[in-house]
Amino acid sequence: MGSSGFLPSGSLLESLVHLSNEVSSIEKLPLVQGRNISTMIRRIKVLTSLFEEIKEANSTATQLPPSSVLCLTELFSVIRRVKVLIQGCKDGSSLWGLIQTETTSNHFFVLVKEIGRALDILPLSLLNLTADIREQVELLHKQAKRVELFVDPREVQRRDELLKVMASNNEKNMKHSANRCSIDIEALKLVFSSIGLRSSMDYEEEMSKLEAEAQKQAGTGGLIVVSNINNLVALVSYSKSMVFSEESKKDDIKQSSVSVSRNTNQSSSSQSMSFNIPDEFRCPISLDLMKDPVIVASGHTYDRNSIAQWINTGHHTCPKSGQRLIHMALIPNYALKSLVHQWCQENNIPLMESSSNASESEINSKPNAAEKAVDHISTTKVAIDSVKMTAEFLVGKLAMGSLDIQRQAAYELRLLAKTGMDNRRIIAEAGAIPFLVTMLTSNDPRIQENAVTALLNLSIFDNNKILIMAAGAIGNIVEVLELGKTTEARENAAAAIFSLSMIDDFKVTIGAHARAILALVGLLREGTTTGKRDAAMALSNLALYEANKTNIVVAGAVQLLIELLMDDKAGITDDALGVLALLLSCPQGLEDIKKSRALVPLLIDLLRFGSAKGKENSITLLLGLCKGGGEEVTRWLLINPRSIPSLRSLAADGSPRARRMADALLRLLNRCCSQSDGITCRKLLRM
């Protein structure tokens, strides 16, 4: 574990002190994710004290153990991501943060776990630290190792209240109820107030943040997410006009009762309340009230008739942004439509329903598209139906579209399959898998990459694993793994093999493929850090089936894995150890492992500095080598001054598996000493 490739320790420590001080000094924390943020900042403050003390006590690189430099480098990466995450919570939309509360909480949880893993390799005993700092860091380390995911129940309750109001309103609108539909403004006001939206200016700022988030999401092609955010913008705008209308009348400020209007010909200007159409309810094309609002591929909303005329006259761009439309589907914006209806009812404005015409059928790929809505925020049947409609539309483009359309359709399916088991099931039911399998052989790099990544995402749903294998995908996936046109395509092909091999029968099928294991070993040799890790994980899964172990060894994996263990830049220590531990039970694998003279000293070091998983696999390998006739390994362990203390420490404080393995190895070493009547050996074992 050398320090080559890292910043000099002086520069690294200065950067760490500066970065951690920036995080520690963050003020005015947001109300959403408040507890996770404040807890994370307290942890960073402990690390700040550690960095400052190391900086004062160690002025040159030679004074820092290599494992310390590795730990500090990892911590720098983690703290930088902590800063970005906290800043995003501060500067981003509070409402969108509330909707995403579980996802964001999981980001904090993952970062704390990474801090714990980095501290696994920090040799506190070798650093010149005060007792107080040492105790604080040890406590932080223990807390980070046993931390659990925290999702604030109050935020979940507020989020559910918000979704309940929106879902209730959508249902009323969809049923075309004769009763006056109504949003529970008081309930919304309480939710908004709880996340810091209390003044008219707060509402305006929140709408700006939501619009900025929509622009950011539109850049990734996430039509569904963009439509959700636009629905929230409309809801905040309408709520603002309702919440502050009474205050507006008291202060005689007509403009704050509704959003600023462009120009209307209202005859009753002397009334205390203005009934000008809010800008959010106007079609950007006609500037008239949107009677039937729909969302186009860019994420912007228009009145159905206006945008239909625009498209039918030969335009293929979004009128507002100028962005080229990747498809011509018009997705009804039921949330905004409901708000428009409610506003019209409250202001006694007649509203005639806009009917679909012949031109619309030329745009939409499915009949009756107006009867379905894309709304992933709600978990109602409407949401499921909208995913089904979207999936069927995209699969149709895979089957009959041009090369450009197929590329974009595969990308949209890749995104749609990224989250939600329901999405993965619906996409498979729409018939996407056979088309995606065929596209793996495409000469277009992006089509191939999108297809293999979409299949990877779909394979997370177990039933889809069966469908993918039944479609004869394994041969094409292996071809992408070997000859993929982009690095990401090769890496995701390896990840797909890992996912598919979770089913025991498929371990046999994949392992029996002539080139699958050779291709994985090839990626292990040539890939990026991510690719090497994907390949190692896939090999680890395949090695659970005994017959595959010999093929993995014959492919030259053992020597390659040992070389990766010695390469501090490879970054796959735990994965490589895991595969080697599995190959140990294969006679040929054991022989190849025994040939390496550099492995045992490395494993002894990992007993001290490795991760919890790494320590377990290191003991497994050492125990297997000793049992497999490795007298030289036993001798190495007995004469190395660090091995016995490390085993003693793991037998006392390691994980349950590490304790069992360490006890077994110590007993074996003790028997060897008894048989040789070695006084020195017994003294070492009593230390």
Side-chain angles (χ1 to χ4, degrees):
M1 293 185 179
S3 60
S4 61
F6 299 121
L7 288 170
S9 62
S11 302
L12 178 59
L13 285 166
E14 287 176 5
S15 301
L16 276 167
V17 170
H18 177 72
L19 179 63
S20 56
N21 275 324
E22 282 186 338
V23 175
S24 300
S25 61
I26 292 176
E27 297 178 347
K28 296 182 180 179
L29 302 183
L31 294 176
V32 178
Q33 292 296 331
R35 179 167 166 184
N36 276 326
I37 293 174
S38 59
T39 304
M40 180 64 82
I41 289 177
R42 285 199 300 273
R43 293 186 174 106
I44 301 302
K45 286 180 178 178
V46 173
L47 293 175
T48 305
S49 302
L50 170 68
F51 303 147
E52 290 173 344
E53 188 151 317
I54 295 177
K55 183 183 174 185
E56 291 175 6
N58 302 274
S59 59
T60 64
T62 57
Q63 291 175 313
L64 282 179
S67 57
S68 298
V69 179
L70 178 59
C71 170
L72 295 176
T73 305
E74 289 295 317
L75 288 174
F76 181 81
S77 172
V78 174
I79 296 172
R80 186 165 51 187
R81 286 153 57 202
V82 166
K83 179 185 174 183
V84 171
L85 181 58
I86 294 177
Q87 207 62 49
C89 291
K90 276 193 67 180
D91 300 340
S93 159
S94 297
L95 267 180
W96 189 242
L98 192 65
I99 296 295
Q100 300 283 85
T101 184
E102 281 101 345
T103 301
T104 307
S105 296
N106 190 61
H107 289 329
F108 279 103
F109 171 71
V110 169
L111 288 172
V112 176
K113 283 294 187 185
E114 290 192 21
I115 289 174
R117 285 194 289 271
L119 291 176
D120 281 339
I121 58 174
L122 181 66
L124 288 174
S125 60
L126 301 181
L127 300 175
N128 187 14
L129 302 175
T130 62
D132 180 50
I133 295 298
R134 189 187 305 277
E135 288 176 4
Q136 289 184 46
V137 174
E138 287 174 345
L139 178 60
L140 172 62
H141 186 198
K142 290 179 181 177
Q143 290 174 342
K145 298 298 287 183
R146 62 171 181 261
V147 72
E148 294 182 356
L149 174 65
F150 173 77
V151 182
D152 194 329
R154 293 170 300 179
E155 292 181 15
V156 174
Q157 181 181 358
R158 293 168 193 156
R159 191 272 315 274
D160 290 346
E161 289 171 356
L162 175 64
L163 297 182
K164 183 178 179 182
V165 170
M166 296 181 71
S168 173
N169 194 55
N170 281 347
E171 289 170 6
K172 289 177 181 178
N173 183 64
M174 289 176 62
K175 292 176 182 176
H176 302 287
S177 171
N179 299 328
R180 180 189 178 96
C181 77
S182 174
I183 289 180
D184 190 343
I185 292 296
E186 286 304 314
L188 278 180
K189 184 178 178 181
L190 287 173
V191 172
F192 291 167
S193 177
S194 71
I195 60 173
L197 306 185
R198 299 187 178 94
S199 68
S200 176
M201 187 66 69
D202 292 334
Y203 278 67
E204 291 286 351
E205 187 177 346
E206 178 65 17
M207 283 188 282
S208 297
K209 290 179 178 179
L210 283 167
E211 288 167 357
E213 183 67 32
Q215 288 291 327
K216 184 172 75 174
Q217 295 289 345
T220 66
L223 171 63
I224 297 169
V225 175
V226 171
S227 70
N228 294 338
I229 298 172
N230 285 336
N231 290 344
L232 284 173
V233 173
L235 184 66
V236 175
S237 174
Y238 185 78
S239 300
K240 172 180 172 287
S241 69
M242 297 302 297
V243 168
F244 295 102
S245 61
E246 291 299 320
E247 296 177 13
S248 173
K249 286 193 285 185
K250 290 178 183 178
D251 297 335
D252 197 29
I253 302 175
K254 297 179 182 179
Q255 287 83 355
S256 62
S257 65
V258 292
S259 301
V260 179
S261 302
R262 286 192 178 88
N263 184 30
T264 57
N265 295 319
Q266 298 294 325
S267 60
S268 181
S269 60
S270 61
Q271 293 180 353
S272 61
M273 182 109 174
S274 172
F275 294 108
N276 291 343
I277 301 172
D279 275 356
E280 291 77 11
F281 295 168
R282 290 179 181 272
C283 174
I285 297 175
S286 67
L287 302 184
D288 291 333
L289 184 68
M290 285 189 282
K291 299 176 182 179
D292 189 5
V294 294
I295 305 169
V296 297
S298 66
H300 292 289
T301 297
Y302 301 92
D303 185 73
R304 182 181 294 276
N305 284 339
S306 297
I307 192 63
Q309 291 173 15
W310 168 267
I311 293 173
N312 287 334
T313 53
H315 296 90
H316 300 289
T317 58
C318 170
K320 193 170 183 179
S321 68
Q323 178 182 344
R324 184 172 182 81
L325 301 177
I326 59 176
H327 58 72
M328 301 301 160
L330 304 181
I331 311 298
N333 190 336
Y334 275 132
L336 181 58
K337 185 175 183 180
S338 179
L339 295 174
V340 170
H341 281 210
Q342 182 174 338
W343 181 84
C344 290
Q345 289 175 346
E346 290 174 350
N347 292 286
N348 296 317
I349 294 176
L351 181 65
M352 298 297 291
E353 288 289 338
S354 175
S355 58
S356 301
N357 52 32
S359 62
E360 175 191 339
S361 64
E362 298 171 10
I363 300 171
N364 289 312
S365 62
K366 301 291 293 180
N368 301 322
E371 297 178 4
K372 300 181 185 291
V374 173
D375 181 10
H376 274 211
I377 294 178
S378 167
T379 57
T380 62
K381 182 178 180 296
V382 178
I384 295 175
D385 286 347
S386 68
V387 176
K388 184 178 180 181
M389 180 192 72
T390 304
E392 291 174 349
F393 171 79
L394 293 172
V395 171
K397 297 304 179 186
L398 286 184
M400 303 178 63
S402 65
L403 203 64
D404 287 341
I405 290 175
Q406 286 181 333
R407 185 187 304 113
Q408 189 59 47
Y411 178 71
E412 289 287 341
L413 285 169
R414 166 184 177 172
L415 293 181
L416 194 60
K418 194 172 183 179
T419 56
M421 288 299 182
D422 279 338
N423 291 5
R424 296 172 186 125
R425 173 183 56 80
I426 291 168
I427 292 170
E429 289 174 353
I433 288 174
F435 292 109
L436 292 171
V437 170
T438 301
M439 288 181 176
L440 293 176
T441 60
S442 172
N443 290 322
D444 185 290
R446 293 300 160 203
I447 289 180
Q448 184 187 71
E449 180 183 307
N450 291 333
V452 74
T453 309
L455 287 170
L456 166 61
N457 294 339
L458 288 171
S459 71
I460 298 172
F461 182 56
D462 280 349
N463 193 57
N464 286 351
K465 291 181 173 67
I466 299 170
L467 297 176
I468 291 170
M469 293 296 287
I474 191 60
N476 288 357
I477 292 175
V478 171
E479 185 175 339
V480 175
L481 177 60
E482 284 184 305
L483 306 170
K485 299 183 182 303
T486 68
T487 301
E488 187 175 352
R490 293 187 66 197
E491 292 172 352
N492 288 342
I497 289 177
F498 167 74
S499 178
L500 293 169
S501 63
M502 297 295 290
I503 295 180
D504 288 341
D505 288 346
F506 297 160
K507 290 181 177 66
V508 181
T509 306
I510 296 170
H513 191 281
R515 303 189 313 278
I517 289 174
L518 279 171
L520 288 171
V521 173
L523 185 62
L524 195 64
R525 179 182 298 107
E526 304 162 1
T528 64
T529 297
T530 302
K532 292 177 190 293
R533 182 175 294 114
D534 289 332
M537 290 171 61
L539 287 170
S540 178
N541 234 13
L542 292 174
L544 293 173
Y545 177 61
E546 287 297 323
N548 289 336
K549 293 180 181 179
T550 302
N551 293 334
I552 294 173
V553 174
V554 170
V558 170
Q559 185 58 39
L560 183 56
L561 290 165
I562 294 173
E563 289 173 5
L564 290 172
L565 283 180
M566 294 185 289
D567 182 359
D568 58 341
K569 295 180 182 178
I572 64 162
T573 300
D574 285 355
D575 300 297
L577 284 170
V579 180
L580 286 171
L582 288 167
L583 297 180
L584 196 64
S585 62
C586 167
Q588 192 170 344
L590 176 61
E591 288 304 313
D592 279 9
I593 293 171
K594 286 166 64 176
K595 290 176 184 177
S596 173
R597 301 184 63 83
L599 179 60
V600 174
L602 182 61
L603 294 176
I604 293 172
D605 283 342
L606 288 169
L607 292 180
R608 302 175 64 203
F609 303 126
S611 67
K613 192 69 176 175
K615 291 174 182 177
E616 289 179 3
N617 285 324
S618 295
I619 302 174
T620 301
L621 283 163
L622 289 171
L623 183 59
L625 288 170
C626 289
K627 287 182 175 180
E631 294 180 3
E632 187 177 352
V633 177
T634 306
R635 191 160 47 250
W636 260 102
L637 288 172
L638 290 172
I639 65 174
N640 191 303
R642 298 190 302 272
S643 58
I644 302 302
S646 297
L647 288 170
R648 290 279 188 198
S649 175
L650 287 171
D653 302 320
S655 66
R657 182 167 178 258
R659 289 200 298 270
R660 291 194 303 272
M661 304 288 286
D663 281 336
L665 186 50
L666 285 168
R667 287 196 301 272
L668 187 149
L669 294 175
N670 191 45
R671 286 198 301 272
C672 291
C673 281
S674 299
Q675 291 169 4
S676 62
D677 195 26
I679 297 173
T680 303
C681 291
R682 288 196 294 272
K683 284 182 178 179
L684 284 169
L685 288 167
R686 285 197 295 268
M687 287 177 62

